[in-house]
Structure formats: structure tokens, C-alpha cells
Amino acid sequence: MIIQAVSTIGMLCSHCGKLQLKTLSVFSFVHLGKNSFICTCGTPLLTLISFESKKIGIEYSCIYCGTPHHLVTRRELIWGEQPLRLGCSDKELPVGYIGPESRVMELCTEIKKNFVRLASELTSDQEDLDVMTDDFFVVYGVIEILGRLVERKKLGCKCGNHNLTVEILPESVELICDLCKAMGIIYTDNKDILRILEQMGAITLEENEMRIINDSLKGNHRKNIITEVE
Ligand SMILES: [Zn+2]
Ligand SMILES: [Zn+2]
Ligand SMILES: [Zn+2]
């Protein structure tokens, strides 16, 4: 088995949703017995702790559930040739990988592709997908929750329309009722919206009105609204 001196960690931050790439050196790890990594936004990403002989425990925060997951693996699997998958046990989806840099980059692109595929099932407009930024995982989460609401018939407009148009924009997802003029705006530049949507259970637009789903979270949302109205 080939052991490499450094491994790359590619992981999505559970708070800001951005992809983070970190370098993990086998030498500093053996020396310290512990390594923690933090996202550029300041949120902890993952911690590796060595215990017993050649075993390593990994605790990583999960973008889907917001709670940490744990994994115990062997040291050679972290610095081996095959990327190690950090998954969400609940959603059965990867949140990151540890392994050789090129493979990790490739797999992270794969995560993004899967997302684009999932998103395209909900939005028929290909142009929507071109505006994807690094925040795409927040967008993904929002689209996924909306999908569940649609299945349970919990997404609609007071005018009686349950078939809302979903449009993905750089900083928001818009819900549009084509029967009246109702519109809903979900800001996706903050991951907190995922928790809010989970708690809501249903979204009903007010007939002919514009509804901001999460304006109370960040002050700059109000600024955004004003510029949009202008
Ligand atoms: Zn972050
Ligand atoms: Zn999870
Ligand atoms: Zn309507």
C-alpha cells in the first residue's frame, strides 16, 4: 500500500456551504496526534484524532443535518490512493472526501454535478443553472426541501395554484405563481434558511403579493429588497 505524505481534504462547510480544500500532512499528524480544520468563515469543519494503534477518529460537521458525524478509520486509508468518503449517514450523500488532491477535486466536481442534475429536475430552465455559485449547496438544500413540500402538497398559493414556478437566482430562489401575481423570495446567501424552511412545514403565497420568506435574518436582505423594487 502506498502512503502519501499529504492528503487533501475537500469538504463543504456546514455553515456557509462553501467548498473548502485543506492539506493534511501525515508527519504533522503523527507528531500532534490531532488536527482540526476550520472554514474561512470560522466554522469548524472536521477534527481528526489518533487513538489505539493506527486508528483515527474523524468528527465532521454535516451540511445536511447541521449535527456532527463520526467515523473511525485506519491511518493508511486517509493517506492512501483511494479517496475516503465523508458522508451524511442520514441523507446517504457525501459531504466531502479525503485523499489525493486530483481525485478529491474530481469528486467534489461530481457532488456539484449531482446537484445540478437534482436542481434541473425541479427547474426546467437551463439558464437557472448557469448562475450557480459556491453557495450552491444552500441552494441545493432549499430545492430539496421545496421538493418535499411539493410532494406533500404543502407548497402553493392562496389563489388555489399548487404548481408554482421555481426560479434559481444568484442569491435567491424565487417562487412564482403564474395564475395570480404572487411571488415568494427565499434568500440563499445564508445557510440558516435551511433550518427555517424545515421548521415551516408549508409555504403558502399570499394572492397577488410578494412574500419574503427570510428577510429577518440578515440586515442586508432589506437592502437587497429595496434595490430590487427600484
Ligand atoms: Zn464556512
Ligand atoms: Zn448528516
Ligand atoms: Zn396565486
Side-chain angles (χ1 to χ4, degrees), residues 13-18 20 39-43 45:
C13 171
S14 65
H15 181 74
C16 70
K18 293 213 166 89
Q20 295 289 307
C39 174
T40 44
C41 78
T43 305
L45 290 172

Side-chain angles (χ1 to χ4, degrees), residues 45-59:
L45 290 172
L46 82 165
T47 298
L48 297 99
I49 299 170
S50 83
F51 69 102
E52 288 175 19
S53 57
K54 301 200 171 181
K55 274 195 185 157
I56 290 177
I58 309 174
E59 187 187 281

Side-chain angles (χ1 to χ4, degrees), residues 187 210 212 215 221-230:
Y187 283 103
M210 177 162 108
I212 313 291
D215 76 323
H221 283 161
R222 296 190 182 279
K223 201 174 67 201
N224 288 347
I225 294 160
I226 292 160
T227 44
E228 264 165 36
V229 169
E230 282 167 354

Side-chain angles (χ1 to χ4, degrees), residues 62 64-65 67 69 88-90:
C62 174
Y64 297 109
C65 355
T67 51
H69 294 307
C88 170
S89 42
D90 193 42

Side-chain angles (χ1 to χ4, degrees), residues 119-129 165-168:
S120 63
E121 284 168 12
L122 259 165
T123 167
S124 49
D125 192 349
Q126 277 300 318
E127 278 176 29
D128 285 353
L129 302 174
T165 301
V166 177
E167 204 168 317
I168 301 169

Side-chain angles (χ1 to χ4, degrees), residues 58-219:
I58 309 174
E59 187 187 281
Y60 53 99
S61 54
C62 174
I63 188 167
Y64 297 109
C65 355
T67 51
H69 294 307
H70 298 87
L71 179 82
V72 174
T73 186
R74 297 195 311 278
R75 186 179 291 170
E76 62 264 33
L77 293 181
I78 289 185
W79 286 276
E81 286 178 293
Q82 289 303 317
L84 179 74
R85 182 182 190 264
L86 302 174
C88 170
S89 42
D90 193 42
K91 299 258 189 258
E92 291 178 3
L93 288 166
V95 298
Y97 288 93
I98 304 178
E101 189 180 1
S102 59
R103 287 288 289 134
V104 167
M105 299 281 284
E106 229 174 272
L107 288 162
C108 288
T109 315
E110 203 60 38
I111 296 178
K112 191 164 180 168
K113 267 192 210 149
N114 281 338
F115 162 71
V116 172
R117 187 179 47 78
L118 277 163
S120 63
E121 284 168 12
L122 259 165
T123 167
S124 49
D125 192 349
Q126 277 300 318
E127 278 176 29
D128 285 353
L129 302 174
D130 296 337
V131 299
M132 293 299 171
T133 60
D134 276 355
D135 295 326
F136 69 91
F137 258 83
V138 180
V139 180
Y140 164 84
V142 168
I143 296 293
E144 202 199 34
I145 294 167
L146 292 179
R148 264 183 274 146
L149 293 180
V150 168
E151 269 171 34
R152 301 202 309 263
K153 298 209 173 10
K154 297 284 186 191
L155 184 72
C157 176
K158 277 219 175 123
C159 75
N161 183 10
H162 279 276
N163 191 12
L164 303 183
T165 301
V166 177
E167 204 168 317
I168 301 169
L169 298 170
E171 281 201 334
S172 62
V173 170
E174 286 184 2
L175 303 170
I176 297 153
C177 173
D178 295 321
L179 295 189
C180 68
K181 295 261 188 300
M183 194 173 134
I185 299 176
I186 300 166
Y187 283 103
T188 51
D189 57 355
N190 187 323
K191 203 203 163 227
D192 287 342
I193 182 57
L194 300 179
R195 228 180 338 259
I196 292 171
L197 285 182
E198 292 279 10
Q199 283 163 3
M200 282 177 76
I203 296 176
T204 308
L205 299 182
E206 294 289 336
E207 207 170 336
N208 290 313
E209 280 179 27
M210 177 162 108
R211 185 176 168 198
I212 313 291
I213 312 285
N214 59 331
D215 76 323
S216 60
L217 266 177
K218 267 176 142 189

